[in-house]
Amino acid sequence: MRPLSETEIRHSFINCSQGEAQRIHLPGQLARTDWGSQAFLGWIDPRSPHRGYVVAETANGPEGVVLHRTPHRGKPMAQMCQFCLTLHGGTGVSMYSAQRPATKKERYSSLGTYLCSDLGCADYAVSRKRPEGIRQMEETITIEDRKERTSDNVERFILRLKERSRS
């Protein structure tokens, strides 16, 4: 992923107004981000832990999505993140939903998926982080291929989010 400025990140969000994007709390370590090793930029809002953000390089340039985490209900169980394909036990995976951009008739809907609860998928994809207490699947692909697969999964999610808003 190429380095992004604060302005580029704020202008990348496709499912919130520019005013809302200006109020987003960006990650504190943005200046120290190792952009070359990132599949995408993902973080949890430190002031609102049920809000998360994802910014990825897509065919249209950087595109960002505001996500809302659904609180865990019932008995925690092992699940797989749909971005990085990492298995997590307990509450390591959460349901996140993203509001679709406004349609021509100004109707809104959302799209949900299961993601790493901490949105640390980019770190899990390149083995900088490992979930505790659960064995991972053996993979024969390289770390670069895992990073690319994660980037592709994020881009497909963003594309699916935008698809229905064109009707």
Side-chain angles (χ1 to χ4, degrees):
M1 183 172 192
R2 72 176 177 84
L4 297 174
S5 69
E6 179 179 331
T7 301
E8 287 176 298
I9 292 170
R10 291 189 187 284
H11 283 93
S12 73
F13 287 95
I14 62 170
N15 66 339
C16 70
S17 71
Q18 284 302 312
E20 290 170 312
Q22 292 303 314
R23 293 186 295 274
I24 288 174
H25 301 104
L26 296 180
Q29 319 140 10
L30 195 57
R32 292 181 276 158
T33 300
D34 180 9
W35 293 98
S37 70
Q38 295 294 314
F40 67 94
L41 182 63
W43 73 98
I44 303 295
D45 189 326
R47 296 184 186 167
S48 180
H50 291 292
R51 266 179 90 115
Y53 309 97
V54 167
V55 178
E57 281 288 339
T58 70
N60 299 320
E63 292 185 297
V65 177
V66 177
L67 299 165
H68 299 277
R69 183 173 49 193
T70 302
H72 287 279
R73 294 191 175 114
K75 182 179 178 185
M77 53 193 239
Q79 292 182 317
M80 180 183 283
C81 171
Q82 298 302 300
F83 282 177
C84 65
L85 305 183
T86 300
L87 292 170
H88 291 272
T91 58
V93 170
S94 295
M95 169 59 87
Y96 279 92
S97 62
Q99 188 80 31
R100 290 187 189 274
T103 64
K104 291 179 182 176
K105 295 180 181 179
E106 293 302 314
R107 293 188 184 140
Y108 290 85
S109 66
S110 62
L111 177 66
T113 192
Y114 288 97
L115 304 175
C116 296
S117 293
D118 63 359
L119 292 180
C121 314
D123 290 331
Y124 290 113
V126 297
S127 299
R128 273 193 302 264
K129 286 172 93 175
R130 292 195 171 277
E132 293 182 28
I134 193 160
R135 184 173 176 216
Q136 297 300 304
M137 297 180 298
E138 297 286 330
E139 290 194 284
T140 58
I141 63 174
T142 66
I143 286 179
E144 258 324 291
D145 288 340
R146 282 188 282 181
K147 185 174 123 182
E148 186 175 333
R149 177 183 65 196
T150 301
S151 296
D152 290 346
N153 289 342
V154 175
E155 188 169 358
R156 271 194 294 279
F157 177 79
I158 292 171
L159 183 62
R160 283 180 35 224
L161 187 68
K162 295 187 322 183
E163 277 178 350
R164 299 245 172 98
S165 67
R166 293 186 187 135
S167 53

